[in-house]
Amino acid sequence: MIVTLGSVTPEGIGRATGVSLSKKKENPSAVFYGGGPAGAIEDVHLALSKTDFTWHVAWTYDANRMPSEGDLDLGRYGARVTTNINPRIPPEGTFSHVYDYMGFRLFIQFNTRSRRLRGAALHKL
């Protein structure tokens, strides 16, 4: 699991997700990596700050192969902080449940109509 990694590196995220990451671009503040697909994961994105110890990792799944919201035990992440809605993400819009989990901000995203798991993101702030 990503939250248990001692440090976040492209290699460590690759091992945790099963997706080999390569450098995609860089700017003065961050280095961006990406990779996929592999198995049920469509893609993985990692952004590492060059100026401090923050990072962001996000991954998406093949929504047709993923469980529905009601099939998952989201209570294990603690109390939900908020829910974000984005109707512009194809094909049907998304909503994300947001948690403060083990000192990280965790976003678990579902497709709006099918309510199938679409992806997740973890922020180290």
Side-chain angles (χ1 to χ4, degrees), residues 1-2 5 7-19 21 46:
M1 179 181 257
I2 294 169
L5 292 174
S7 65
V8 172
T9 65
E11 297 77 21
I13 296 297
R15 283 189 301 275
T17 62
V19 175
L21 300 181
L46 170 64

Side-chain angles (χ1 to χ4, degrees), residues 6-53:
S7 65
V8 172
T9 65
E11 297 77 21
I13 296 297
R15 283 189 301 275
T17 62
V19 175
S20 178
L21 300 181
S22 61
K23 185 175 173 181
K24 299 298 181 186
K25 64 181 180 175
E26 184 172 355
N27 65 33
S29 3
V31 182
F32 302 90
Y33 299 86
I41 295 180
E42 285 190 16
D43 56 42
V44 176
H45 300 278
L46 170 64
L48 295 174
S49 173
K50 291 170 139 184
T51 59
D52 55 30
F53 296 109

Side-chain angles (χ1 to χ4, degrees), residues 45-86:
H45 300 278
L46 170 64
L48 295 174
S49 173
K50 291 170 139 184
T51 59
D52 55 30
F53 296 109
T54 61
W55 49 265
H56 168 89
V57 61
W59 57 100
T60 60
Y61 297 101
D62 175 352
N64 295 318
R65 296 173 34 189
M66 290 296 98
S68 296
E69 177 186 20
D71 297 333
L72 300 173
D73 174 18
L74 299 176
R76 67 184 175 156
Y77 303 114
R80 183 173 49 222
V81 174
T82 190
T83 298
N84 297 332
I85 299 170
N86 188 339

